[in-house]
Structure formats: C-alpha cells, structure tokens
C-alpha cells in the first residue's frame, strides 16, 4: 500500500513499537511526525532513520495528556501508540500513578483523536490506529491502571469508529 503524500503522526515514536510503526509507515511512503515525550536524542535518531528512507520526518515533543499541546501537533494518519506503565498491586497503588497511566494511555489517545477529528471530516479522509493491549481484555495482576486504560482505548476506538467510519 502506497502512502505517498500522506503524513502520519505516531505517538510514542522515539522507541519500541512506535519506532517500528513510524519506520514501516515511512517505508510505505508516508512522511512521519515523530511524537515523543522523553528523549529528544532518540526521537532525532528515528527522524534520521526515516529521512534515510527518502521521506520527510520531524520530531515533535508533545505530552499527549495535554490537550493544548496536542492541538498544535496534528495531520492525515494518526497512530496512538504512546503509553506508560506504573505497575503495582491495587492495594498499594498511588493515586498519582493511576492518574498518570490513564492520562497518558487513554486521555492522550482521546486528545489526539479530538485534535484530528474536524480535519478528517473536512477532508473526508484520515486514518486512526489505536494501539491497545491484551491486558485491556484479560486484565493483569499489578496492572489495574494499565489494564483499565487499555480497555478504555478499546471502547474509545469502537465509539469513534461509529462516529467517523462513514
């Protein structure tokens, strides 16, 4: 599938699954916005790998949990991959660890989708790929916050698909 002329935003693209997704999209011809929250050096390394494939890439620091920051960062293809863990048994889990995981993993996906929503409708085009986890379906001991966030991403995906699929 050729993605020539399209621009993909990939959250969490400076490492791991997000990096692999960004590189694959670039191999298919997409220009890539490398969205990251952590290391600028790692993000720039991914940008260099992508541009070596003959397409454009640029790194953008963006905390996906911050809707104002997200609104400044959006395009044609959105891959919601950003995610964090703060594992611990529920009995000992701190409120801030629960909130941080839901804010990044679920609210971050919501913020990114909302920022792309109007543009996708206006263009009658756009793609949203949300990365979840089997933990969102099965649960996992010590990951009440992570499992809840990924189950939320599944529900968010289904609801937004019903709104935008046509």
């Amino acid at each position: 599938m050729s993605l020539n002329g399209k621009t993909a935003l990939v959250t969490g693209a400076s490492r791991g699954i997000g990096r692999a997704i960004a590189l694959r999209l670039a191999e298919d011809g997409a220009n890539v916005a490398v969205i990251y929250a952590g290391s600028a050096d790692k993000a720039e390394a991914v940008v260099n790998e992508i541009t070596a494939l003959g397409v454009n890439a640029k790194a953008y620091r963006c905390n996906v949990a911050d809707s104002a920051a997200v609104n400044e960062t959006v395009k044609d293809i959105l891959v919601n991959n950003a995610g964090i863990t703060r594992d611990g048994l529920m009995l000992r889990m701190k409120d801030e660890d629960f909130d941080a995981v839901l804010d990044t993993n679920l609210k971050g996906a919501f913020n990114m989708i909302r920022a792309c929503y109007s543009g996708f409708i206006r263009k009658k085009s756009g793609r949203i790929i949300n990365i979840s986890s089997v933990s969102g379906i099965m649960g996992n001991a010590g990951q009440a916050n992570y499992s809840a966030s990924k189950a939320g991403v599944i529900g968010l995906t289904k609801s937004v698909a019903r709104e935008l699929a046509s």
Side-chain angles (χ1 to χ4, degrees):
M1 174 173 68
S2 175
L3 297 175
N4 292 336
K6 300 289 186 183
T7 301
L9 281 76
V10 183
T11 65
S14 65
R15 59 190 175 86
I17 294 170
R19 177 184 165 273
I21 292 167
L23 289 169
R24 178 54 197 260
L25 289 166
E27 287 170 3
D28 289 342
N31 299 313
V32 181
V34 174
I35 312 299
Y36 72 99
S39 169
D41 290 340
K42 287 182 181 177
E44 285 303 323
V46 174
V47 166
N48 292 336
E49 287 181 80
I50 291 169
T51 56
L53 295 171
V55 295
N56 295 320
K58 186 170 180 186
Y60 297 91
R61 182 181 298 269
C62 178
N63 174 358
V64 297
D66 178 349
S67 61
V70 166
N71 285 330
E72 296 177 18
T73 315
V74 291
K75 273 297 180 193
D76 299 314
I77 301 167
L78 168 62
V79 179
N80 275 318
N81 173 72
I84 63 171
T85 59
R86 299 286 188 276
D87 294 349
L89 295 176
M90 191 170 169
L91 182 64
R92 294 188 198 111
M93 187 173 289
K94 297 177 185 164
D95 286 352
E96 55 269 17
D97 289 340
F98 186 87
D99 293 344
V101 171
L102 264 76
D103 283 350
T104 298
N105 300 3
L106 180 56
K107 187 177 178 191
F110 169 81
N111 285 338
M112 293 299 295
I113 292 167
R114 184 173 56 185
C116 292
Y117 198 105
S118 294
F120 284 6
I121 288 175
R122 206 171 21 261
K123 291 187 291 187
K124 294 182 169 78
S125 175
R127 304 288 183 270
I128 300 171
I129 300 139
N130 292 327
I131 306 298
S132 187
S133 169
V134 70
S135 293
I137 297 168
M138 305 291 293
N140 202 17
Q143 289 192 317
N145 51 2
Y146 183 79
S147 296
S149 72
K150 293 303 184 173
V153 168
I154 293 167
L156 175 65
T157 301
K158 290 178 179 184
S159 293
V160 171
R162 290 190 178 272
E163 292 180 32
L164 291 175
S166 63

